[in-house]
């Protein structure tokens, strides 16, 4: 069992930056692939980024490639999402997830409760 808690979301102006964190409980953090997703009001939950167990092989959605960076610190049981050059369309609730394989689908085993990111124009 893994419990995930996101933090770092807030209101930011367009062009600004934020770093989201996702802290995981349990001793098996390094055995999970970690992902970030987001869901805007009235829309489906979309894949943003994922990273392998040891921090390699990151993958990104085209909409954030070059602006967002996913990373992890297994010693701290934490995965991060650095978001730069934010746009109003990045406004959403951001979720982290843990699963057995790199995937752009929603087939992760564990999910956090989400953190709100609002980008003003």
């Amino acid at each position: 069992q893994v419990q995930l808690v996101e933090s770092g979301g807030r209101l930011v102006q367009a062009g600004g930056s934020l770093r989201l964190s996702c802290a995981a409980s349990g001793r098996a953090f390094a055995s999970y692939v970690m992902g970030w997703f987001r869901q805007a009001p009235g829309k489906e939950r979309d894949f943003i980024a994922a990273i392998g167990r040891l921090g390699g092989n990151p993958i990104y959605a085209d909409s954030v490639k070059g602006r967002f960076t996913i990373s992890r610190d297994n010693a701290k049981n934490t995965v991060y999402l650095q978001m730069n050059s934010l746009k109003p369309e990045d406004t959403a609730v951001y979720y982290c997830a843990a699963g057995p394989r790199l995937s752009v689908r929603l087939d992760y085993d564990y999910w956090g409760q989400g953190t709100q990111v609002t980008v003003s124009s």
Side-chain angles (χ1 to χ4, degrees):
Q1 187 81 8
V2 176
Q3 291 185 332
L4 304 172
V5 179
E6 303 95 335
S7 62
R10 62 177 176 86
L11 174 65
V12 63
Q13 287 189 333
S17 298
L18 277 179
R19 188 177 80 158
L20 304 183
S21 300
C22 173
S25 65
R27 300 178 181 178
F29 178 74
S31 68
Y32 291 99
V33 167
M34 298 300 297
W36 283 98
F37 291 75
R38 68 185 180 189
Q39 188 167 18
K43 296 189 177 181
E44 295 181 347
R45 190 170 298 190
D46 292 330
F47 169 79
I48 295 300
I51 191 167
R53 294 172 179 80
L54 299 181
N57 304 316
I59 56 175
Y60 297 94
D62 287 344
S63 59
V64 305
K65 201 171 293 183
R67 299 189 298 124
F68 291 11
T69 302
I70 188 172
S71 62
R72 66 188 296 164
D73 185 339
N74 287 346
K76 296 182 178 180
N77 282 11
T78 302
V79 62
Y80 304 98
L81 186 68
Q82 177 67 42
M83 306 187 294
N84 298 328
S85 302
L86 283 162
K87 305 174 182 179
E89 52 263 44
D90 294 319
T91 295
V93 177
Y94 283 70
Y95 299 90
C96 70
R101 68 188 67 82
L102 277 174
S103 174
V104 302
R105 299 188 299 270
L106 298 176
D107 55 353
Y108 286 71
D109 296 330
Y110 303 101
W111 292 84
Q113 83 291 345
T115 186
Q116 176 70 48
V117 173
T118 303
V119 184
S120 64
S121 57

